[in-house]
Amino acid sequence: MTVEDLPAAMDLERALFPEDAWTEGMFRDELTQPSRHYVVAESGDRVVGYAGLRSVPPEGDVQTMAVAQPVWGHGIGRALLTALLDRAEHEGVVHVFLEVRDDNPRAQKLYADFGFTQIGVRRGYYNGADAIVMRRTARPGQGSGGEGNP
């Protein structure tokens, strides 16, 4: 992700997370941090998804992940998460954490497919929802994982 991608990313952010949308300033700050890595997914000349990783080995966090609704089910979330986990492995991250809304079973399934397991709940973390805290611990040579390969 570059600064040039921010207008499209902000459109997605506001559409998908109207109650909890990040500000453009938050994204700009994230892009300046050396411990952060952000990627976008494009279809033609359109940004249809983005994701970010904070990595401070041996730990990392999926900071955010979003995919445009019209392309849900097309493997974009899987590709974005694979990119983040590959980057985490490259940087020596062993434990990757994330929070996911408790009312988002679609995202919960994606993360479980990649070997994330629930380790806790943060009550009221999101506007109108709790956060399920998940962790994935990499094993040597595991790679990004995916279905059937937690």
Side-chain angles (χ1 to χ4, degrees):
M1 180 186 281
T2 66
V3 172
E4 289 76 28
D5 296 316
L6 285 181
M10 289 306 305
D11 287 346
L12 278 176
E13 181 75 8
R14 289 184 200 106
L16 294 169
F17 311 115
E19 302 275 327
D20 296 303
W22 285 18
T23 65
E24 185 172 331
M26 291 168 74
F27 273 106
R28 285 182 181 276
D29 184 56
E30 286 289 296
L31 293 176
T32 66
Q33 302 298 319
S35 63
R36 307 302 200 270
H37 177 72
Y38 279 77
V39 294
V40 294
E42 297 177 326
S43 177
D45 61 351
R46 268 187 35 230
V47 171
V48 294
Y50 58 85
L53 174 74
R54 180 191 68 86
S55 127
V56 183
E59 295 183 351
D61 293 280
V62 174
Q63 298 289 89
T64 188
M65 195 161 117
V67 175
Q69 285 182 342
V71 294
W72 283 2
H74 293 202
I76 293 168
R78 217 166 266 291
L80 289 167
L81 188 55
T82 295
L84 295 186
L85 294 175
D86 286 349
R87 177 66 177 240
E89 179 183 31
H90 174 76
E91 293 187 7
V93 171
V94 177
H95 305 283
V96 179
F97 297 87
L98 59 80
E99 291 91 15
V100 60
R101 290 179 66 101
D102 67 347
D103 60 0
N104 189 346
R106 180 183 197 87
Q108 292 168 35
K109 181 183 180 324
L110 172 67
Y111 300 136
D113 286 350
F114 277 79
F116 283 87
T117 57
Q118 181 175 339
I119 61 168
V121 175
R122 291 186 175 162
R123 302 277 176 224
Y125 185 78
Y126 297 105
N127 285 326
D130 294 337
I132 295 173
V133 181
M134 301 182 86
R135 177 181 64 206
R136 177 182 188 267
T137 300
R139 295 184 300 270
Q142 179 179 20
S144 56
E147 284 187 47
N149 215 6

